[in-house]
Amino acid sequence: MRFDNQVIAVTGGAQGLGFAIVEQFIEEGAQVTIIDIDQKAIDQALHSLSSDSVDSICSDVTDAAQVNEIISTIKEKHGRIDVLVNNAGIIRDNVIWKMPEEDYDSVMKVNLKGPWLMCREVAPIMRSQNSGRIVNIASRSWLGNVGQSNYSASKGGLVSMTRVLALELGKNNITVNAVAPGLIDTPMTRSLDPEVYKMLEQSNPCKKAGKPADIAHTVAFLSSDEAGFINGQVIHVDGGKSIGASVQ
Ligand code: NAP
């Protein structure tokens, strides 16, 4: 019970990685708020969790007014926020010469501006508590990936932002870290062409996709007391894909 009665907010928490993160925190005693734009997915998540330890807010993390409302609602209800997980993210893949400008803008907005807005609202609360943990879900793709000039740039930006916030908030006993997943089996990756999905699995040193729980365990560790001196880091959870290219 590492998170007994801790107040935790998870964006994009209704499905995929976010849902696994929510499940993990609830199992370890936390009060969790799911923040997601997809009401249907929220309803399914709440039904399947069937727990008094979870709340939900249907909101868009790219909208500053909605983000202000999200954080005020959690603060009013629980009086504090111990952990923020910025997990909501989208993909709109294409090679640059075929990528519409709106697909660049929407990916940057959800994957980079969303976490920035959330951190801006949460920072004063965590500073006044003199404690807190922020975990940003980046991606192995921040290192570069064909067809993801928008997505890789957004996740690279998120890594840079993580490092800056670690510097700005460390003195207030707040750590800020990033997790960079490789291919994980979620609704997002299952929306890819099945042939592409198979190819991605085969290009992994472990020859498989990861499970959402692999990410949830890492997020929980970074949010725990044991990780109190880990700050500004990116932890790759990708079966070794980030090490380099290999042909086998
Ligand atoms: P997912 O299955 O699509 O779940 C993401 C959730 O976030 C969805 O419920 C989505 O709603 C919600 N969301 C999207 N835009 C939002 C917004 N503006 N405000 C609030 N919620 C919003 O994705 P996932 O695969 O679990 O990915 C979670 C995170 O991990 C993302 O940041 C992704 O980039 C990162 N990641 C995933 C993988 C992977 O292999 N799965 C690998 C590396 C990194 P909708 O259904 O309406 O879009």
Side-chain angles (χ1 to χ4, degrees):
M1 286 299 192
R2 286 180 292 183
F3 303 102
D4 228 355
N5 293 320
Q6 287 201 20
V7 178
I8 298 183
V10 182
T11 71
Q15 56 186 324
L17 302 186
F19 180 74
I21 293 165
V22 169
E23 267 187 315
Q24 177 78 35
F25 280 130
I26 290 175
E27 255 173 46
E28 296 204 54
Q31 290 290 323
V32 183
T33 304
I34 293 174
I35 299 143
D36 205 290
I37 203 169
D38 186 337
Q39 184 62 58
K40 206 168 141 210
I42 290 178
D43 293 342
Q44 278 169 359
L46 295 179
H47 179 72
S48 115
L49 290 164
S50 168
S51 166
D52 292 338
S53 305
V54 65
D55 279 329
S56 67
I57 300 176
C58 187
S59 269
D60 180 351
V61 297
T62 69
D63 182 291
Q66 290 186 48
V67 169
N68 177 274
E69 183 74 28
I70 292 166
I71 299 305
S72 316
T73 305
I74 299 174
K75 175 79 166 55
E76 264 165 42
K77 176 154 187 200
H78 298 284
R80 54 187 296 112
I81 300 181
D82 298 296
V83 181
L84 166 66
V85 182
N86 284 307
N87 163 79
I90 59 170
I91 44 173
R92 299 286 183 272
D93 295 353
N94 221 326
V95 283
I96 195 165
W97 58 95
K98 291 184 185 165
M99 187 179 289
E101 188 178 346
E102 54 268 31
D103 285 356
Y104 174 85
D105 288 339
S106 57
V107 165
M108 294 304 277
K109 230 174 144 184
V110 178
N111 297 3
L112 187 54
K113 187 178 177 189
W116 183 83
L117 288 171
M118 291 293 294
C119 289
R120 191 176 63 153
E121 290 294 334
V122 149
I125 296 171
M126 290 184 172
R127 274 165 55 85
S128 71
Q129 294 167 182
N130 201 38
S131 72
R133 294 274 192 275
I134 297 174
V135 182
N136 293 320
I137 306 300
S139 166
R140 187 224 61 92
S141 297
W142 81 281
L143 297 168
N145 212 16
V146 169
Q148 295 197 314
S149 55
N150 52 357
Y151 185 78
S152 296
S154 73
K155 296 300 189 179
L158 187 57
V159 168
S160 296
M161 194 178 90
T162 299
R163 293 165 61 98
V164 172
L165 300 189
L167 295 172
E168 290 181 356
L169 298 170
K171 63 178 169 293
N172 298 108
N173 197 27
I174 301 162
T175 66
V176 189
N177 291 290
V179 175
L183 179 72
I184 312 288
D185 188 357
T186 68
M188 178 195 269
T189 49
R190 286 295 176 176
S191 70
L192 296 169
D193 180 316
E195 281 305 309
V196 172
Y197 187 90
K198 215 166 146 192
M199 206 180 69
L200 290 170
E201 276 188 317
Q202 286 313 306
S203 70
N204 190 285
C206 293
K207 304 288 173 206
K208 63 178 185 184
K211 300 183 298 299
D214 294 325
I215 305 306
H217 291 140
T218 311
V219 171
F221 169 64
L222 288 172
S223 307
S224 71
D225 285 346
E226 293 99 311
F229 203 48
I230 301 177
N231 195 20
Q233 303 303 307
V234 191
I235 313 286
H236 289 91
V237 183
D238 64 355
K241 177 89 173 168
S242 52
I243 293 166
S246 74
V247 181
Q248 295 178 48

Short mmCIF file of all heavy atoms in Angstrom, two decimals, residues 82-132:
data_model
loop_
_atom_site.label_atom_id
_atom_site.label_comp_id
_atom_site.label_asym_id
_atom_site.label_seq_id
_atom_site.Cartn_x
_atom_site.Cartn_y
_atom_site.Cartn_z
N ASP A 82 -1.15 14.65 -4.70
CA ASP A 82 0.17 14.05 -4.44
C ASP A 82 0.91 13.66 -5.71
O ASP A 82 2.13 13.79 -5.78
CB ASP A 82 0.00 12.81 -3.54
CG ASP A 82 -0.58 13.19 -2.19
OD1 ASP A 82 0.09 13.94 -1.46
OD2 ASP A 82 -1.73 12.80 -1.88
N VAL A 83 0.15 13.13 -6.69
CA VAL A 83 0.80 12.65 -7.93
C VAL A 83 -0.03 13.09 -9.14
O VAL A 83 -1.25 12.95 -9.14
CB VAL A 83 0.90 11.10 -7.94
CG1 VAL A 83 1.60 10.61 -9.22
CG2 VAL A 83 1.63 10.57 -6.71
N LEU A 84 0.67 13.62 -10.13
CA LEU A 84 0.04 13.90 -11.43
C LEU A 84 0.72 13.03 -12.48
O LEU A 84 1.95 13.06 -12.60
CB LEU A 84 0.21 15.38 -11.81
CG LEU A 84 -0.10 15.72 -13.28
CD1 LEU A 84 -1.58 15.51 -13.61
CD2 LEU A 84 0.32 17.16 -13.59
N VAL A 85 -0.08 12.27 -13.23
CA VAL A 85 0.47 11.52 -14.36
C VAL A 85 -0.11 12.10 -15.65
O VAL A 85 -1.31 12.03 -15.89
CB VAL A 85 0.13 10.00 -14.26
CG1 VAL A 85 0.78 9.25 -15.43
CG2 VAL A 85 0.59 9.42 -12.93
N ASN A 86 0.77 12.71 -16.46
CA ASN A 86 0.35 13.24 -17.75
C ASN A 86 0.50 12.14 -18.79
O ASN A 86 1.60 11.89 -19.31
CB ASN A 86 1.23 14.44 -18.13
CG ASN A 86 0.85 15.68 -17.37
OD1 ASN A 86 -0.32 16.08 -17.37
ND2 ASN A 86 1.82 16.28 -16.69
N ASN A 87 -0.62 11.48 -19.07
CA ASN A 87 -0.59 10.30 -19.94
C ASN A 87 -1.37 10.50 -21.24
O ASN A 87 -1.06 9.85 -22.23
CB ASN A 87 -1.14 9.10 -19.14
CG ASN A 87 -1.55 7.96 -20.03
OD1 ASN A 87 -0.72 7.18 -20.49
ND2 ASN A 87 -2.85 7.85 -20.31
N ALA A 88 -2.36 11.42 -21.25
CA ALA A 88 -3.18 11.57 -22.46
C ALA A 88 -2.30 11.90 -23.66
O ALA A 88 -1.40 12.75 -23.56
CB ALA A 88 -4.22 12.67 -22.26
N GLY A 89 -2.53 11.22 -24.76
CA GLY A 89 -1.71 11.48 -25.95
C GLY A 89 -2.40 10.91 -27.17
O GLY A 89 -3.26 10.04 -27.06
N ILE A 90 -2.02 11.43 -28.33
CA ILE A 90 -2.61 10.93 -29.60
C ILE A 90 -1.50 10.74 -30.63
O ILE A 90 -0.41 11.31 -30.51
CB ILE A 90 -3.69 11.90 -30.16
CG1 ILE A 90 -3.11 13.30 -30.42
CG2 ILE A 90 -4.88 11.99 -29.21
CD1 ILE A 90 -4.06 14.22 -31.20
N ILE A 91 -1.81 9.93 -31.65
CA ILE A 91 -0.91 9.83 -32.81
C ILE A 91 -1.68 10.24 -34.08
O ILE A 91 -2.87 9.96 -34.20
CB ILE A 91 -0.32 8.40 -33.03
CG1 ILE A 91 -1.38 7.31 -32.85
CG2 ILE A 91 0.88 8.15 -32.17
CD1 ILE A 91 -0.89 5.91 -33.21
N ARG A 92 -0.99 10.88 -34.99
CA ARG A 92 -1.52 11.20 -36.33
C ARG A 92 -0.33 11.03 -37.28
O ARG A 92 0.30 12.00 -37.69
CB ARG A 92 -2.03 12.65 -36.41
CG ARG A 92 -3.18 13.00 -35.48
CD ARG A 92 -4.52 12.42 -35.94
NE ARG A 92 -5.60 12.84 -35.06
CZ ARG A 92 -5.97 12.18 -33.95
NH1 ARG A 92 -5.36 11.07 -33.61
NH2 ARG A 92 -6.97 12.64 -33.20
N ASP A 93 0.00 9.76 -37.60
CA ASP A 93 1.26 9.48 -38.30
C ASP A 93 1.18 9.71 -39.82
O ASP A 93 0.19 9.38 -40.44
CB ASP A 93 1.67 8.01 -38.08
CG ASP A 93 1.99 7.70 -36.61
OD1 ASP A 93 2.02 8.63 -35.80
OD2 ASP A 93 2.22 6.51 -36.31
N ASN A 94 2.26 10.20 -40.34
CA ASN A 94 2.46 10.27 -41.79
C ASN A 94 3.86 10.83 -42.08
O ASN A 94 4.41 11.55 -41.23
CB ASN A 94 1.42 11.18 -42.47
CG ASN A 94 0.92 10.59 -43.77
OD1 ASN A 94 1.69 9.93 -44.48
ND2 ASN A 94 -0.34 10.80 -44.08
N VAL A 95 4.40 10.51 -43.23
CA VAL A 95 5.66 11.17 -43.61
C VAL A 95 5.40 12.65 -43.82
O VAL A 95 4.27 13.04 -44.14
CB VAL A 95 6.25 10.53 -44.90
CG1 VAL A 95 6.91 9.20 -44.60
CG2 VAL A 95 5.20 10.39 -45.98
N ILE A 96 6.42 13.45 -43.62
CA ILE A 96 6.18 14.91 -43.54
C ILE A 96 5.55 15.48 -44.80
O ILE A 96 4.73 16.38 -44.74
CB ILE A 96 7.48 15.66 -43.15
CG1 ILE A 96 7.13 17.09 -42.70
CG2 ILE A 96 8.51 15.63 -44.27
CD1 ILE A 96 8.23 17.81 -41.96
N TRP A 97 5.91 14.90 -45.97
CA TRP A 97 5.38 15.49 -47.20
C TRP A 97 3.89 15.16 -47.41
O TRP A 97 3.27 15.67 -48.33
CB TRP A 97 6.23 15.09 -48.42
CG TRP A 97 6.37 13.62 -48.68
CD1 TRP A 97 5.61 12.85 -49.50
CD2 TRP A 97 7.37 12.76 -48.13
NE1 TRP A 97 6.06 11.56 -49.49
CE2 TRP A 97 7.15 11.47 -48.66
CE3 TRP A 97 8.45 12.93 -47.24
CZ2 TRP A 97 7.93 10.36 -48.34
CZ3 TRP A 97 9.22 11.83 -46.92
CH2 TRP A 97 8.96 10.57 -47.46
N LYS A 98 3.34 14.31 -46.55
CA LYS A 98 1.91 14.01 -46.67
C LYS A 98 1.13 14.44 -45.41
O LYS A 98 -0.06 14.17 -45.32
CB LYS A 98 1.70 12.51 -46.85
CG LYS A 98 2.18 11.98 -48.19
CD LYS A 98 1.83 10.50 -48.29
CE LYS A 98 2.40 9.89 -49.56
NZ LYS A 98 2.39 8.43 -49.49
N MET A 99 1.82 15.07 -44.47
CA MET A 99 1.16 15.35 -43.18
C MET A 99 0.44 16.71 -43.21
O MET A 99 1.06 17.74 -43.42
CB MET A 99 2.19 15.35 -42.04
CG MET A 99 1.53 15.48 -40.67
SD MET A 99 2.73 15.46 -39.34
CE MET A 99 3.26 13.76 -39.36
N PRO A 100 -0.89 16.70 -42.99
CA PRO A 100 -1.60 17.98 -42.94
C PRO A 100 -1.19 18.79 -41.70
O PRO A 100 -0.89 18.20 -40.66
CB PRO A 100 -3.08 17.58 -42.83
CG PRO A 100 -3.15 16.10 -42.96
CD PRO A 100 -1.76 15.54 -42.77
N GLU A 101 -1.22 20.10 -41.85
CA GLU A 101 -0.82 20.98 -40.75
C GLU A 101 -1.65 20.70 -39.49
O GLU A 101 -1.13 20.74 -38.37
CB GLU A 101 -0.99 22.44 -41.20
CG GLU A 101 -0.43 23.44 -40.21
CD GLU A 101 -0.59 24.88 -40.72
OE1 GLU A 101 -0.89 25.08 -41.92
OE2 GLU A 101 -0.43 25.80 -39.89
N GLU A 102 -2.94 20.40 -39.69
CA GLU A 102 -3.78 20.18 -38.49
C GLU A 102 -3.33 18.94 -37.69
O GLU A 102 -3.54 18.87 -36.48
CB GLU A 102 -5.28 20.13 -38.82
CG GLU A 102 -5.72 19.15 -39.87
CD GLU A 102 -5.76 19.78 -41.27
OE1 GLU A 102 -4.96 20.70 -41.56
OE2 GLU A 102 -6.59 19.30 -42.08
N ASP A 103 -2.69 17.97 -38.37
CA ASP A 103 -2.20 16.80 -37.63
C ASP A 103 -0.93 17.12 -36.83
O ASP A 103 -0.66 16.50 -35.81
CB ASP A 103 -1.92 15.62 -38.59
CG ASP A 103 -3.22 14.98 -39.06
OD1 ASP A 103 -4.30 15.39 -38.59
OD2 ASP A 103 -3.15 14.07 -39.91
N TYR A 104 -0.17 18.09 -37.31
CA TYR A 104 0.96 18.58 -36.51
C TYR A 104 0.40 19.31 -35.27
O TYR A 104 0.77 19.02 -34.14
CB TYR A 104 1.84 19.53 -37.34
CG TYR A 104 2.92 20.17 -36.51
CD1 TYR A 104 4.14 19.51 -36.29
CD2 TYR A 104 2.72 21.41 -35.90
CE1 TYR A 104 5.11 20.08 -35.48
CE2 TYR A 104 3.69 21.98 -35.10
CZ TYR A 104 4.88 21.32 -34.89
OH TYR A 104 5.84 21.87 -34.09
N ASP A 105 -0.55 20.23 -35.53
CA ASP A 105 -1.08 21.06 -34.44
C ASP A 105 -1.78 20.23 -33.38
O ASP A 105 -1.57 20.44 -32.18
CB ASP A 105 -2.06 22.11 -34.99
CG ASP A 105 -1.33 23.20 -35.78
OD1 ASP A 105 -0.12 23.37 -35.56
OD2 ASP A 105 -1.98 23.88 -36.60
N SER A 106 -2.61 19.27 -33.79
CA SER A 106 -3.39 18.52 -32.78
C SER A 106 -2.47 17.67 -31.92
O SER A 106 -2.66 17.58 -30.70
CB SER A 106 -4.49 17.68 -33.44
OG SER A 106 -3.92 16.81 -34.37
N VAL A 107 -1.45 17.06 -32.52
CA VAL A 107 -0.53 16.22 -31.74
C VAL A 107 0.28 17.06 -30.75
O VAL A 107 0.43 16.70 -29.58
CB VAL A 107 0.38 15.39 -32.70
CG1 VAL A 107 1.56 14.79 -31.96
CG2 VAL A 107 -0.44 14.29 -33.36
N MET A 108 0.77 18.20 -31.23
CA MET A 108 1.53 19.06 -30.32
C MET A 108 0.64 19.56 -29.17
O MET A 108 1.08 19.65 -28.02
CB MET A 108 2.12 20.28 -31.06
CG MET A 108 3.16 19.94 -32.09
SD MET A 108 4.56 19.00 -31.44
CE MET A 108 5.56 20.25 -30.78
N LYS A 109 -0.60 19.84 -29.50
CA LYS A 109 -1.53 20.38 -28.49
C LYS A 109 -1.81 19.35 -27.39
O LYS A 109 -1.70 19.64 -26.20
CB LYS A 109 -2.84 20.77 -29.18
CG LYS A 109 -3.29 22.16 -28.84
CD LYS A 109 -4.50 22.55 -29.63
CE LYS A 109 -5.39 23.41 -28.76
NZ LYS A 109 -6.64 23.78 -29.38
N VAL A 110 -2.17 18.14 -27.79
CA VAL A 110 -2.53 17.13 -26.77
C VAL A 110 -1.27 16.64 -26.04
O VAL A 110 -1.26 16.54 -24.81
CB VAL A 110 -3.26 15.92 -27.41
CG1 VAL A 110 -3.59 14.88 -26.33
CG2 VAL A 110 -4.54 16.37 -28.12
N ASN A 111 -0.21 16.35 -26.79
CA ASN A 111 0.94 15.65 -26.18
C ASN A 111 1.90 16.59 -25.44
O ASN A 111 2.65 16.14 -24.57
CB ASN A 111 1.74 14.91 -27.26
CG ASN A 111 0.93 13.82 -27.94
OD1 ASN A 111 -0.24 13.65 -27.65
ND2 ASN A 111 1.55 13.09 -28.84
N LEU A 112 1.90 17.88 -25.81
CA LEU A 112 2.87 18.78 -25.18
C LEU A 112 2.21 19.95 -24.43
O LEU A 112 2.53 20.19 -23.26
CB LEU A 112 3.83 19.32 -26.25
CG LEU A 112 5.02 20.14 -25.75
CD1 LEU A 112 5.83 19.40 -24.69
CD2 LEU A 112 5.93 20.52 -26.92
N LYS A 113 1.24 20.60 -25.09
CA LYS A 113 0.60 21.72 -24.39
C LYS A 113 -0.25 21.21 -23.22
O LYS A 113 -0.28 21.83 -22.15
CB LYS A 113 -0.27 22.53 -25.36
CG LYS A 113 -0.80 23.80 -24.71
CD LYS A 113 -1.62 24.65 -25.64
CE LYS A 113 -2.16 25.85 -24.88
NZ LYS A 113 -3.13 26.61 -25.66
N GLY A 114 -0.92 20.07 -23.42
CA GLY A 114 -1.75 19.49 -22.35
C GLY A 114 -0.95 19.29 -21.07
O GLY A 114 -1.31 19.83 -20.00
N PRO A 115 0.16 18.53 -21.12
CA PRO A 115 0.98 18.36 -19.91
C PRO A 115 1.49 19.68 -19.33
O PRO A 115 1.56 19.86 -18.11
CB PRO A 115 2.15 17.49 -20.41
CG PRO A 115 1.59 16.73 -21.56
CD PRO A 115 0.59 17.66 -22.21
N TRP A 116 1.82 20.62 -20.22
CA TRP A 116 2.32 21.92 -19.73
C TRP A 116 1.23 22.64 -18.93
O TRP A 116 1.48 23.16 -17.83
CB TRP A 116 2.77 22.78 -20.94
CG TRP A 116 3.37 24.09 -20.53
CD1 TRP A 116 4.66 24.33 -20.14
CD2 TRP A 116 2.69 25.36 -20.46
NE1 TRP A 116 4.83 25.65 -19.83
CE2 TRP A 116 3.64 26.32 -20.01
CE3 TRP A 116 1.39 25.78 -20.71
CZ2 TRP A 116 3.33 27.65 -19.83
CZ3 TRP A 116 1.07 27.12 -20.53
CH2 TRP A 116 2.04 28.05 -20.10
N LEU A 117 0.00 22.64 -19.47
CA LEU A 117 -1.11 23.29 -18.75
C LEU A 117 -1.36 22.59 -17.41
O LEU A 117 -1.57 23.26 -16.39
CB LEU A 117 -2.39 23.23 -19.60
CG LEU A 117 -2.45 24.13 -20.84
CD1 LEU A 117 -3.68 23.80 -21.69
CD2 LEU A 117 -2.49 25.61 -20.43
N MET A 118 -1.35 21.25 -17.43
CA MET A 118 -1.60 20.50 -16.19
C MET A 118 -0.52 20.82 -15.15
O MET A 118 -0.82 21.05 -13.97
CB MET A 118 -1.62 18.99 -16.48
CG MET A 118 -2.79 18.50 -17.29
SD MET A 118 -4.39 18.60 -16.44
CE MET A 118 -4.20 17.45 -15.11
N CYS A 119 0.73 20.83 -15.58
CA CYS A 119 1.84 21.10 -14.63
C CYS A 119 1.75 22.52 -14.10
O CYS A 119 2.02 22.77 -12.91
CB CYS A 119 3.19 20.89 -15.33
SG CYS A 119 3.54 19.15 -15.66
N ARG A 120 1.37 23.46 -14.96
CA ARG A 120 1.27 24.86 -14.51
C ARG A 120 0.23 25.01 -13.41
O ARG A 120 0.41 25.79 -12.47
CB ARG A 120 0.92 25.75 -15.71
CG ARG A 120 1.06 27.23 -15.39
CD ARG A 120 0.81 28.08 -16.59
NE ARG A 120 -0.56 27.94 -17.10
CZ ARG A 120 -1.19 28.90 -17.78
NH1 ARG A 120 -0.58 30.02 -18.04
NH2 ARG A 120 -2.41 28.70 -18.22
N GLU A 121 -0.87 24.25 -13.50
CA GLU A 121 -1.93 24.34 -12.48
C GLU A 121 -1.55 23.60 -11.19
O GLU A 121 -1.91 24.01 -10.10
CB GLU A 121 -3.25 23.75 -13.00
CG GLU A 121 -3.92 24.58 -14.06
CD GLU A 121 -4.41 25.94 -13.57
OE1 GLU A 121 -4.68 26.10 -12.38
OE2 GLU A 121 -4.48 26.86 -14.41
N VAL A 122 -0.83 22.48 -11.37
CA VAL A 122 -0.53 21.62 -10.22
C VAL A 122 0.69 22.14 -9.43
O VAL A 122 0.75 21.95 -8.21
CB VAL A 122 -0.30 20.17 -10.75
CG1 VAL A 122 0.68 19.41 -9.92
CG2 VAL A 122 -1.63 19.42 -10.81
N ALA A 123 1.61 22.80 -10.11
CA ALA A 123 2.85 23.23 -9.45
C ALA A 123 2.61 24.07 -8.19
O ALA A 123 3.21 23.78 -7.14
CB ALA A 123 3.75 23.97 -10.44
N PRO A 124 1.72 25.09 -8.23
CA PRO A 124 1.55 25.88 -6.99
C PRO A 124 1.02 25.05 -5.83
O PRO A 124 1.39 25.27 -4.68
CB PRO A 124 0.52 26.95 -7.40
CG PRO A 124 0.50 26.97 -8.88
CD PRO A 124 0.94 25.61 -9.35
N ILE A 125 0.15 24.07 -6.14
CA ILE A 125 -0.41 23.22 -5.08
C ILE A 125 0.68 22.35 -4.48
O ILE A 125 0.85 22.27 -3.25
CB ILE A 125 -1.57 22.35 -5.65
CG1 ILE A 125 -2.71 23.25 -6.11
CG2 ILE A 125 -2.05 21.32 -4.62
CD1 ILE A 125 -3.80 22.55 -6.89
N MET A 126 1.46 21.71 -5.34
CA MET A 126 2.54 20.85 -4.83
C MET A 126 3.60 21.67 -4.10
O MET A 126 4.16 21.23 -3.10
CB MET A 126 3.16 20.03 -5.97
CG MET A 126 2.23 18.96 -6.51
SD MET A 126 3.01 17.95 -7.78
CE MET A 126 1.78 16.65 -8.01
N ARG A 127 3.86 22.87 -4.61
CA ARG A 127 4.85 23.74 -3.93
C ARG A 127 4.36 24.10 -2.53
O ARG A 127 5.12 24.09 -1.57
CB ARG A 127 5.07 25.03 -4.75
CG ARG A 127 6.15 24.86 -5.83
CD ARG A 127 6.11 26.00 -6.85
NE ARG A 127 6.22 27.31 -6.25
CZ ARG A 127 7.34 27.93 -5.92
NH1 ARG A 127 8.50 27.35 -6.19
NH2 ARG A 127 7.33 29.12 -5.38
N SER A 128 3.06 24.39 -2.41
CA SER A 128 2.56 24.77 -1.08
C SER A 128 2.55 23.57 -0.14
O SER A 128 2.66 23.72 1.07
CB SER A 128 1.19 25.44 -1.17
OG SER A 128 0.24 24.48 -1.52
N GLN A 129 2.41 22.35 -0.69
CA GLN A 129 2.46 21.13 0.15
C GLN A 129 3.90 20.77 0.52
O GLN A 129 4.16 20.00 1.42
CB GLN A 129 1.94 19.92 -0.64
CG GLN A 129 0.49 19.96 -1.00
CD GLN A 129 0.10 18.89 -2.04
OE1 GLN A 129 -1.04 18.85 -2.43
NE2 GLN A 129 1.01 18.06 -2.50
N ASN A 130 4.84 21.33 -0.27
CA ASN A 130 6.25 20.93 -0.22
C ASN A 130 6.42 19.43 -0.48
O ASN A 130 7.27 18.77 0.11
CB ASN A 130 6.91 21.33 1.10
CG ASN A 130 8.43 21.40 0.97
OD1 ASN A 130 8.94 21.84 -0.07
ND2 ASN A 130 9.16 20.92 1.97
N SER A 131 5.62 18.91 -1.41
CA SER A 131 5.76 17.51 -1.83
C SER A 131 4.95 17.27 -3.10
O SER A 131 3.95 17.96 -3.34
CB SER A 131 5.26 16.56 -0.74
OG SER A 131 3.86 16.61 -0.66
N GLY A 132 5.40 16.31 -3.86
CA GLY A 132 4.65 15.94 -5.06
C GLY A 132 5.49 15.13 -6.02
O GLY A 132 6.72 15.07 -5.91
#
